[in-house]
């Protein structure tokens, strides 16, 4: 790493002890930015990196609620408002027991660059809670969301900070959060949250957008080698919002998706995953992946283990951070992998990324490949601002244009900086320069 940036990185790590995921995300971005600072000494003089790594505001709060047995439960809520150079803070809320400040900050930091790459007017933020929705009734989830919003509402707004979903937060949770925001503020402020239901201000294609966008981005990478999804053998991790829609889109382009996972195990379905059955099990019944196996003959369910043990030509990690390590990457590469599109945020460890890049595998980092979700959130904000609602076809067309645009910008930036095909470099530099220019233009704030 460039010595000037290494010194700044050292200070950032020392100021934020115990936040391993945040350190990892910062390090990965800094490794790309040496050449930018040779060309733009004003970024160093203006201490842009030091400012970027310090969130504009961090909110941590108590979330008290009662469970169905009447017992008092206490969780911790977070919202990190990281950077507003390009627009209101924008990014999801994650409800998962692993959530702590370091996770929220890594996600918020990545979100700054991702949102810049979309070309939409949105800054970066992220939030969530260590609440575990698994096994909780709808009534418990509602009481939790109402309590969470009873604190969060004073910090957010259409022009301030616009949360959405992430792990553990989907349409149900956004509904409860929106209802409580409306009740407390007495305002029907559609633009305060995205991922809303279609009949009350949501956008068509938002539920599909992240998974679809990841596949569109990956298809663009494949095209640069004269290939496509048609006939590829694909493995997807996760079976949540991003994973299921990535599976659907990849299969619509002619791929065979042979495996997917949840946090308990994975299935191998050599005929190609039955998306309708998967949606029934995971989205309608909120069941476990094991339930899929019991209804479809010739499917293997592996309890525990890693879905990356299944051979693939294209891998789409769509579950969580650091789920694909260097050993798994090396094994996949040995067995014919040609492309990786990250639907999740930072799913590949630094070792895994090095393996993919050293072996010439096409590698689309999350901040570029999964930007379709937040981009479509920005399209939802546009529709809310104009009190309009667009058709599925129009919105999908906009999503496609945005993803192709992100791909082309990353590729062009990698070319410009002398490392063709390096989408990590292209995404980091492309996102950073846009934010850095805006920060300098807006003065020392
Ligand atoms: P969901 O909650 O819908 O699904 C998450 C999936 O990942 C589930 O299958 C879950 O399994 C699995 N999973 C979660 N945590 C772990 C873990 N610690 N270990 C193993 N498996 C795990 O979330 P999303 O699909 O929305 O999000 C998936 C990824 O995509 C995240 O990295 C998120 O940040 C990212 N992302 C999401 C966007 C969105 O629009 N939703 C936009 C851009 C990125 P189980 O059910 O067993 O918990
Ligand atoms: O990681 C992400 O980009 C998201 N979870 C979506 C954020 C959003 O505001 O739609």
């Amino acid at each position: 790493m460039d010595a000037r940036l290494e010194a700044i990185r050292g200070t950032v790590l020392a100021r934020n002890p115990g936040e391993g995921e945040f350190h990892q995300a910062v390090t990965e971005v800094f490794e790309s930015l040496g050449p930018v600072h040779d060309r733009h000494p004003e970024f160093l003089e203006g201490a842009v990196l030091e400012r970027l790594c310090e969130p504009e505001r961090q909110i941590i709060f108590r979330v008290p609620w009662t469970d169905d047995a009447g017992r008092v439960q206490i969780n911790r809520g977070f919202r990190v408002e990281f950077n507003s150079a390009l627009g209101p803070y924008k990014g999801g809320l994650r409800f998962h027991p692993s959530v702590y400040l370091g996770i929220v900050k890594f996600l918020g930091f990545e979100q700054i660059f991702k949102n810049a790459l979309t070309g939409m007017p949105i800054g970066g933020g992220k939030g969530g809670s260590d609440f575990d929705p698994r096994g909780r009734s709808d009534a418990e989830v509602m009481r939790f969301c109402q309590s969470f919003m009873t604190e969060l509402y004073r910090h957010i707004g259409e022009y301030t900070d616009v949360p959405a979903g992430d792990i553990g937060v989907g349409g149900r949770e956004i509904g409860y959060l929106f209802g409580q925001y409306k009740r407390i503020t007495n305002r029907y402020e559609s633009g305060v949250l995205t991922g809303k239901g279609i009949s009350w201000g949501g956008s068509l294609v938002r539920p599909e957008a992240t998974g679809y966008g990841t596949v569109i981005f990956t298809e663009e990478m494949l095209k640069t080698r004269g290939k496509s999804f048609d006939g590829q053998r694909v493995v997807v991790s996760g079976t949540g919002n991003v994973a299921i829609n990535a599976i659907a889109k990849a299969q619509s382009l002619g791929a065979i998706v042979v495996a997917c996972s949840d946090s308990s195990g994975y299935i191998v379905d050599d005929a190609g995953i039955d998306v309708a059955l998967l949606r029934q099990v995971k989205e309608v019944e909120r069941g476990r992946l094991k339930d899929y196996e019991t209804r479809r003959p010739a499917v293997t369910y592996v309890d525990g283990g890693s879905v990356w043990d299944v051979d693939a030509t294209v891998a789409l990690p769509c579950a969580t951070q650091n789920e694909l390590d260097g050993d798994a990457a090396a094994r996949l590469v040995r067995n014919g992998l040609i492309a990786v599109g990250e639907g999740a945020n930072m799913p590949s460890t630094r070792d895994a990324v090095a393996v993919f890049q050293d072996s010439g595998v096409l590698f689309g980092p999350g901040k570029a490949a999964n930007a379709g979700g937040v981009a479509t959130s920005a399209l939802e904000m546009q529709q809310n601002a104009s009190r309009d609602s667009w058709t599925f076809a129009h919105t999908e067309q906009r999503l496609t244009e945005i993803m192709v645009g992100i791909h082309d910008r990353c590729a062009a930036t990698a070319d410009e900086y002398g490392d063709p095909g390096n989408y990590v470099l292209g995404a980091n530099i492309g996102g950073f320069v846009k934010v850095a220019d805006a920060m300098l233009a807006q003065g020392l704030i």
Side-chain angles (χ1 to χ4, degrees), residues 94 134 166 168 206 210 239-242 263 288 318-319 344-345:
R94 177 178 291 191
R134 172 116 51 103
D166 194 82
R206 179 62 189 90
T210 311
T239 34
N241 169 271
V242 179
S263 58
R288 306 297 299 159
C318 296
N345 286 306

Side-chain angles (χ1 to χ4, degrees), residues 158 360 396 416:
E158 179 182 356
E396 191 180 23
E416 185 190 335

Side-chain angles (χ1 to χ4, degrees), residues 360-398:
V361 165
L362 292 163
F363 178 73
K367 62 171 77 69
N370 73 36
V374 76
T376 308
S377 280
L379 299 179
E380 183 172 329
M381 292 163 72
Q382 273 187 30
Q383 291 168 79
N384 294 153
S386 58
R387 300 184 186 281
D388 198 358
S389 49
W390 305 340
T391 63
F392 193 97
H394 175 71
T395 317
E396 191 180 23
Q397 179 60 28
R398 293 284 303 265

Side-chain angles (χ1 to χ4, degrees), residues 60-376:
I60 303 181
F61 51 98
R62 179 171 68 204
V63 189
W65 56 285
T66 49
D67 66 21
D68 285 345
R71 278 187 302 263
V72 173
Q73 300 279 345
I74 303 294
N75 286 100
R76 188 171 293 172
F78 301 88
R79 187 71 185 168
V80 173
E81 298 180 333
F82 228 117
N83 193 289
S84 61
L86 299 181
Y89 311 107
K90 182 84 195 87
L93 297 170
R94 177 178 291 191
F95 293 169
H96 191 272
S98 62
V99 167
Y100 77 107
L101 189 59
I103 297 253
V104 180
K105 281 172 66 179
F106 117 65
L107 291 164
F109 186 73
E110 293 270 296
Q111 200 84 45
I112 303 170
F113 307 102
K114 182 195 303 190
N115 293 4
L117 284 170
T118 66
M120 318 291 284
I122 42 179
K126 202 83 187 190
S129 175
D130 58 0
F131 173 69
D132 187 356
R134 172 116 51 103
R136 292 293 180 188
S137 69
D138 285 355
E140 289 177 315
V141 170
M142 181 183 75
R143 287 195 295 277
F144 173 81
C145 288
Q146 290 180 337
S147 181
F148 186 86
M149 185 53 86
T150 301
E151 172 60 32
L152 187 68
Y153 89 95
R154 70 188 83 245
H155 306 290
I156 63 176
E158 179 182 356
Y159 297 105
T160 315
D161 184 355
V162 183
D166 194 82
I167 290 176
V169 177
R172 174 182 63 172
E173 291 74 19
I174 294 294
Y176 296 147
L177 291 164
F178 184 74
Q180 185 72 352
Y181 182 85
K182 179 163 62 80
R183 183 185 188 195
I184 295 173
T185 60
N186 192 30
R187 284 165 59 85
Y188 205 107
E189 190 183 330
S190 301
V192 70
L193 290 169
T194 60
K196 300 181 293 296
I198 288 308
S199 62
W200 45 277
S203 173
L204 289 165
V205 191
R206 179 62 189 90
E208 294 85 1
T210 311
Y212 278 25
T214 300
V215 170
I216 296 166
F217 186 95
T218 308
E219 177 87 344
E220 291 303 302
M221 292 199 299
L222 289 165
K223 279 187 198 165
T224 65
R225 304 247 172 108
K227 298 193 163 83
S228 74
F229 262 101
D230 194 19
Q232 302 294 345
R233 181 181 159 94
V234 179
V235 169
V236 175
S237 63
T239 34
N241 169 271
V242 179
I244 292 178
N245 289 294
I247 295 168
K249 184 70 174 175
Q251 298 206 142
S252 77
L253 295 178
I256 303 172
V257 182
V258 294
C260 63
S261 61
D262 64 13
S263 58
S264 307
Y266 66 91
I267 52 161
V268 182
D269 189 341
D270 282 311
I273 286 166
D274 177 343
V275 176
L277 176 59
L278 190 60
R279 285 195 195 278
Q280 174 65 27
V281 169
K282 298 297 294 189
E283 294 176 350
V284 179
E285 299 169 17
R286 293 185 185 274
R288 306 297 299 159
L289 194 49
K290 187 163 182 17
D291 305 337
Y292 177 99
E293 181 216 23
T294 57
R295 295 194 221 168
R296 194 160 146 96
V299 169
T300 312
Y301 175 77
V302 181
D303 199 34
S306 166
V307 73
W308 307 121
D309 288 342
V310 182
D311 294 346
T313 54
V314 178
L316 302 175
C318 296
T320 194
Q321 64 278 350
N322 291 327
E323 53 159 310
L324 201 174
D325 65 15
D327 291 342
R331 216 197 53 73
L332 285 165
V333 168
R334 271 197 309 276
N335 290 305
L337 188 78
I338 59 168
V340 179
E342 291 190 327
N345 286 306
M346 209 168 74
S348 310
T349 64
R350 285 163 45 73
D351 287 350
V353 176
V355 168
F356 294 141
Q357 294 194 315
D358 292 348
S359 55
V361 165
L362 292 163
F363 178 73
K367 62 171 77 69
N370 73 36
V374 76
T376 308

